[in-house]
Amino acid sequence: MAIPNNLVGVWWSSLDEETNKQLRRDLGLLITKQPVWAHVESEQVSEPNEYGAIVSRTRHRYVSEPIKDARIHKIYDSNGTITIDVMMQSGKVRDLPVNAAYFSTMQSEYKFMKATEASEE
């Protein structure tokens, strides 16, 4: 994957359509679907166990939301890792960039989750 260094720090929304599509192809990202930010949230809940006793448990849930824009944060030539900054719909930029391969996986997971949610309704 050869990503030009002049695209580092450039928001996708400011790229012309063809450059944007080529960049996403090079990164292995979906072109037609809106990218998402995804993470796992944990919460402590108290609930009865199988014997009726109240116990405290940690519950994890997968949270994903569409993003407004993204840009390449840094290219690490030594191992080919590319990190991406994401701008949320609110305009806030996430400080924690994500690896391109992870970002692509999260999009696939988001698509699967949306299909599952639709089938449950």
Side-chain angles (χ1 to χ4, degrees):
M1 160 179 23
I3 306 295
N5 278 322
N6 64 340
L7 292 181
V8 173
V10 179
W11 290 101
W12 288 351
S13 59
S14 64
L15 299 174
D16 64 74
E17 187 176 346
E18 192 51 45
T19 305
N20 190 320
K21 285 182 178 181
Q22 184 61 49
L23 175 60
R24 289 189 187 207
R25 274 193 294 270
D26 291 345
L27 290 173
L29 300 177
L30 300 175
I31 295 173
T32 56
K33 298 292 181 183
Q34 184 177 19
V36 299
W37 170 267
H39 63 281
V40 174
E41 288 184 354
S42 301
E43 63 179 346
Q44 286 294 121
V45 294
S46 295
E47 56 189 16
N49 64 11
E50 59 271 17
Y51 305 107
I54 303 297
V55 294
S56 180
R57 295 185 184 173
T58 303
R59 182 181 299 162
H60 305 285
R61 68 187 185 106
Y62 182 90
V63 179
S64 58
E65 56 184 305
I67 66 168
K68 184 175 183 179
D69 208 351
R71 65 182 170 191
I72 294 177
H73 175 76
K74 189 168 184 178
I75 299 173
Y76 298 93
D77 294 326
S78 59
N79 60 8
T81 299
I82 295 173
T83 57
I84 299 172
D85 290 332
V86 293
M87 180 187 291
M88 307 312 291
Q89 295 289 345
S90 65
K92 178 179 179 173
V93 177
R94 293 285 185 181
D95 296 9
L96 302 173
V98 295
N99 179 276
Y102 175 82
F103 200 62
S104 181
T105 301
M106 290 300 100
Q107 291 180 79
S108 300
E109 182 70 14
Y110 180 74
K111 185 177 178 183
F112 171 78
M113 286 182 56
K114 283 298 182 191
T116 303
E117 289 170 5
S119 68
E120 290 175 353
E121 293 176 355

